[in-house]
Amino acid sequence: MKPIHYAIAPLHPEAHLFAVTVTVDAPDPAGQRFFLPAWIPGSYMIREFARNIVRIRADAGGEQVALTKLDKHTWQAAPVDRARGPLVVSYEVYAWDLSVRAAHLDATHGFFNGTSVFLCVEGQEDQPCLVDIHPPEGEAYRHWRVATALPEAPGRGGARRYGFGRYQAAHYDELIDHPVEMGDFVMGTFKACGVQHDVVFTGRVPNLDLDRICRDLKRICEAQIRLFEPRGERAPFLDSNRRYVFMTMVTSDGYGGLEHRASTALMCARGDLPVRGQAEASEGYRAYLGLCSHEYFHTWNVKRIKPAAFVPYRLQSETHTPLLWLFEGFTSYYDDLMLVRSGCITEAQYIELLAKAWNSVLRGSGRTKQSVAESSFDAWTKYYRQDENAPNAIVSYYVKGSLIALALDLTIRARTDGRRSLDDVMRALWRRYGRDFYAADAVQRGVTEDEVLALVDEISGLRLSAQLRAWTEGTGELPLPALFKPFGIAAQARKPARGAALGIKTRADDGWVRIAQVLDGGAGQAAGLSAGDLLAAVDGLRVAPSGANQLDKLLARYRAGDTASLHVFRRDELHCLPVTFAREPATEYQLQVDAARNPLRARWLSH
Ligand code: ZN
């Protein structure tokens, strides 16, 4: 059987249209079906990419073939006699979503994920694929290149590295796991443990310090490869490709990333990237390195060690797993830990990041109502679709998941006197579930919740599974103060501020202050404030988004227990609400590191 043959071309960059064809040599004699995924792995939300298909037709042997739409993302071609030649489906995809999750095209660059542009040939998902990537037509585009971890096709017509031409994938699952960037981008390259890594930046960044970025990423990547393979001999993506690609779209205020098996698509803010000659690392740059570290760690944890529910991915509807606390939470724990272990941030900066994560979980009362297992399961309808009630209803499986990883790691280290750690658990997960996931003869298997818990007991030699289950399926507080102690770190509860608090979050709206969120149990909720209200006055004084009449300046005149009247507009009707101010409810912690050398801490944070 011949491979499925795709071709994609930026048809009209100005109109944001990609033209795509898929050619099938042996279509289903009963009528071939095609569908586009409803979601992209790594981003757990139904996005219905097929809505961006603007025009679609099928042909065989020079004649049009009827194409019937079956549901929101599936088409069926009329049966075609094989003697008429291959079935060709041609369509245009509107690409104007500036994110890492979909596709984007204009005269400055093109970017796409396969999930946005490549129709899946139903029943032939396991067939090898060829992809011709064409440049846009015209002199203006002659400097454009291609960045992708898709392997170049061998032989005549095969693309040269970074060039337009023919690429290949072993099957549809691989095809949609290598995003493609095209344009006149800036590129750097480095080797980590002897393996090539490319770093691509799209967008204008004057005086970008590319050498420094490559230097820092090399340290992070090598620390991660050695975490899983202590001799550093086997980067995970050597199973599908010989290299890894970091592709970053730079904008004024972007932030985000999506993991793939041999690459990652990232967005970051221009101001976060280092300028040549600038010695210090800004907070923004540390966050960018943390993002790179996070997505790179996913190369092991979720792209190869996978939850059982994702093997295989079912791309036409939601796929629920209770385990995102492991795949996103533990990845979030290791992203910053790898920065300190590789020397990209200091120990003090790392401890500060831990305190920040801990306090952010403590600030949301959602943590008392939802476990991280529930948050994982409902990611599709809750975490990814947050509304004004989110802080009252949702706990982040990222942040609380990272604290559970921390609690587990500290527990294992303290109770084995530093002989064992969470690193051993991750390595065992890797050896049993991840290392051979994409091997040609492998029976692909994901991990279940029970298997993870049993593995933690087995590898640590301790009985921790009941405790871990209570942390992931319960809503109690994590015993972090006690767990920090053996590491020479003191957790001190910060005293709540004495001032008046309303328990609301606001945002500026056209000269007004609009209430964005009302926190459960706060004074604002008791007074009857609602999200969406325009907060007009406190005791007859106008509330303004800036200047002397800012809300916090007005509230500074009151103490907890004082009363006042609030004026709000709701649906343009004025209401006067009496309020009794309360104290800030949340307990926050500060972490203080003992200056004395602590062998447990040294082993944990250095490598
Ligand atoms: Zn992630």
Side-chain angles (χ1 to χ4, degrees):
M1 211 185 252
K2 278 205 209 159
I4 293 170
H5 195 149
Y6 294 88
I8 182 163
L11 179 65
H12 291 299
E14 303 79 6
H16 322 301
L17 288 174
F18 281 111
V20 188
T21 62
V22 49
T23 304
V24 186
D25 274 290
D28 184 343
Q32 181 62 53
R33 289 185 179 190
F34 300 86
F35 72 87
L36 207 57
W39 60 283
I40 179 167
S43 184
Y44 307 111
M45 185 170 160
I46 296 298
R47 298 186 190 275
E48 296 160 337
F49 298 115
R51 70 198 158 87
N52 290 316
I53 291 186
V54 218
R55 237 203 292 237
I56 184 165
R57 61 175 282 156
D59 294 90
E63 276 175 52
Q64 190 162 355
V65 174
L67 205 54
T68 308
K69 193 146 190 202
L70 301 181
D71 63 26
K72 62 184 177 181
H73 46 216
T74 313
W75 289 260
Q76 182 166 3
V80 177
D81 182 351
R82 280 192 194 176
R84 268 173 73 187
L87 176 64
V88 183
V89 177
S90 330
Y91 49 101
E92 290 170 15
V93 179
Y94 179 67
W96 195 236
D97 178 340
L98 189 59
S99 80
V100 297
R101 302 175 296 255
H104 191 254
L105 173 67
D106 66 11
T108 69
H109 90 124
F111 170 80
F112 63 82
N113 285 288
T115 37
S116 282
V117 296
F118 296 136
L119 282 172
C120 182
V121 183
E122 205 174 277
Q124 300 198 30
E125 290 87 345
D126 295 333
Q127 288 300 308
C129 306
L130 292 174
V131 191
D132 290 329
I133 304 177
H134 298 288
E137 276 179 29
E139 187 58 12
Y141 304 106
R142 76 195 154 90
H143 295 298
W144 277 31
R145 293 184 290 172
V146 174
T148 179
L150 260 179
E152 298 85 3
R156 256 163 49 99
R160 292 220 301 249
R161 180 68 44 95
Y162 316 122
F164 289 91
R166 185 162 295 174
Y167 290 80
Q168 63 178 5
H171 35 62
Y172 187 75
D173 179 59
E174 185 187 356
L175 175 69
I176 58 170
D177 204 13
H178 293 297
V180 175
E181 172 72 32
M182 55 178 83
D184 185 11
F185 44 73
V186 170
M187 200 184 80
T189 187
F190 65 89
K191 284 199 167 171
C193 295
V195 183
Q196 187 180 339
H197 290 63
D198 293 336
V199 186
V200 171
F201 288 93
T202 301
R204 291 181 198 168
V205 201
N207 283 317
L208 177 69
D209 194 344
L210 200 53
D211 291 344
R212 175 176 184 176
I213 295 171
C214 287
R215 227 167 30 236
D216 290 338
L217 286 179
K218 176 186 170 75
R219 283 149 76 178
I220 296 165
C221 295
E222 290 192 335
Q224 293 199 16
I225 294 170
R226 294 212 162 93
L227 171 78
F228 286 98
E229 302 277 352
R231 274 172 289 127
E233 72 280 19
R234 197 166 177 275
F237 40 86
L238 294 181
D239 57 13
S240 60
N241 203 308
R242 309 301 300 173
R243 69 200 167 101
Y244 188 89
V245 185
F246 290 93
M247 44 183 91
T248 304
M249 173 82 208
V250 187
T251 64
S252 297
D253 54 3
Y255 185 81
L258 195 60
E259 67 275 10
H260 299 282
R261 72 185 64 186
S263 60
T264 175
L266 307 158
M267 285 190 73
C268 84
R270 193 170 294 112
D272 289 349
L273 294 173
V275 174
R276 271 200 294 269
Q278 178 192 61
E280 74 282 4
S282 68
E283 207 172 300
Y285 182 49
R286 291 202 299 267
Y288 173 72
L289 291 178
L291 181 65
C292 292
S293 178
H294 180 95
E295 306 306 345
Y296 195 71
F297 197 85
H298 274 315
T299 318
W300 291 267
N301 196 33
V302 94
K303 295 313 307 189
R304 286 171 182 79
I305 309 164
K306 292 182 186 228
F310 289 180
V311 184
Y313 290 120
R314 294 189 302 276
L315 296 170
Q316 283 152 296
S317 61
E318 293 88 343
T319 305
H320 301 283
T321 168
L323 281 176
L324 295 182
W325 55 264
L326 170 64
F327 293 98
E328 290 301 345
F330 281 36
T331 299
S332 298
Y333 172 60
Y334 276 101
D335 61 24
D336 286 339
L337 185 58
M338 286 296 147
L339 295 190
V340 66
R341 282 194 188 162
S342 61
C344 288
I345 61 172
T346 65
E347 192 178 298
Q349 286 167 335
Y350 178 66
I351 300 295
E352 185 63 42
L353 289 172
L354 288 182
K356 216 168 137 186
W358 189 13
N359 288 329
S360 87
V361 170
L362 290 173
R363 273 195 292 271
S365 67
R367 79 184 191 288
T368 65
K369 297 157 203 163
Q370 192 190 43
S371 70
V372 288
E374 290 167 332
S375 180
S376 300
F377 193 89
D378 284 332
W380 303 82
T381 45
K382 294 194 172 192
Y383 188 81
Y384 268 90
R385 289 171 61 182
Q386 296 191 21
D387 59 19
E388 69 287 341
N389 197 41
N392 298 328
I394 296 177
V395 70
S396 164
Y397 50 78
Y398 283 88
V399 190
K400 191 177 173 193
S402 78
L403 297 179
I404 291 173
L406 168 71
L408 185 61
D409 199 9
L410 297 183
T411 304
I412 300 174
R413 287 171 184 275
R415 286 176 51 185
T416 61
D417 205 18
R419 284 188 305 276
R420 292 278 159 149
S421 72
L422 189 59
D423 300 355
D424 295 299
V425 175
M426 294 311 299
R427 274 192 285 275
L429 276 170
W430 169 240
R431 282 194 303 269
R432 281 184 214 177
Y433 297 92
R435 195 191 250 160
D436 295 324
F437 191 86
Y438 291 123
D441 52 349
V443 179
Q444 296 189 334
R445 209 160 70 80
V447 62
T448 66
E449 202 174 7
D450 289 343
E451 287 169 333
V452 175
L453 296 175
L455 191 97
V456 167
D457 282 354
E458 181 200 327
I459 300 301
S460 67
L462 304 166
R463 290 199 174 165
L464 297 173
S465 50
Q467 177 67 81
L468 183 55
R469 195 183 284 279
W471 288 341
T472 58
E473 295 181 7
T475 56
E477 304 292 355
L478 299 171
L480 289 175
L483 295 178
F484 276 127
K485 240 185 215 150
F487 294 79
I489 299 171
Q492 287 170 332
R494 230 182 262 160
K495 282 214 180 87
R498 287 170 53 92
L502 265 178
I504 58 171
K505 296 260 162 62
T506 62
R507 61 183 155 82
D509 184 352
D510 200 16
W512 290 86
V513 171
R514 193 178 286 281
I515 299 177
Q517 292 169 337
V518 178
L519 303 180
D520 265 1
Q525 191 182 58
L529 296 180
S530 293
D533 290 351
L534 290 176
L535 183 53
V538 176
D539 271 344
L541 286 172
R542 183 186 171 226
V543 180
S546 59
N549 281 36
Q550 265 178 303
L551 183 60
D552 55 344
K553 288 181 185 155
L554 294 177
L555 292 186
R557 310 190 71 87
Y558 300 88
R559 289 274 172 111
D562 289 352
T563 57
S565 63
L566 304 175
H567 278 92
V568 300
F569 281 104
R570 183 178 305 163
R571 300 186 293 273
D572 295 330
E573 295 171 6
L574 185 65
H575 298 271
C576 182
L577 304 170
V579 67
T580 305
F581 293 113
R583 282 189 172 211
E584 285 285 351
T587 309
E588 296 203 0
Y589 284 90
Q590 247 169 336
L591 295 177
Q592 248 152 15
V593 181
D594 194 338
R597 202 189 114 74
N598 178 304
L600 273 180
R601 188 174 73 232
R603 253 180 122 149
W604 168 39
L605 298 182
S606 56
H607 209 63

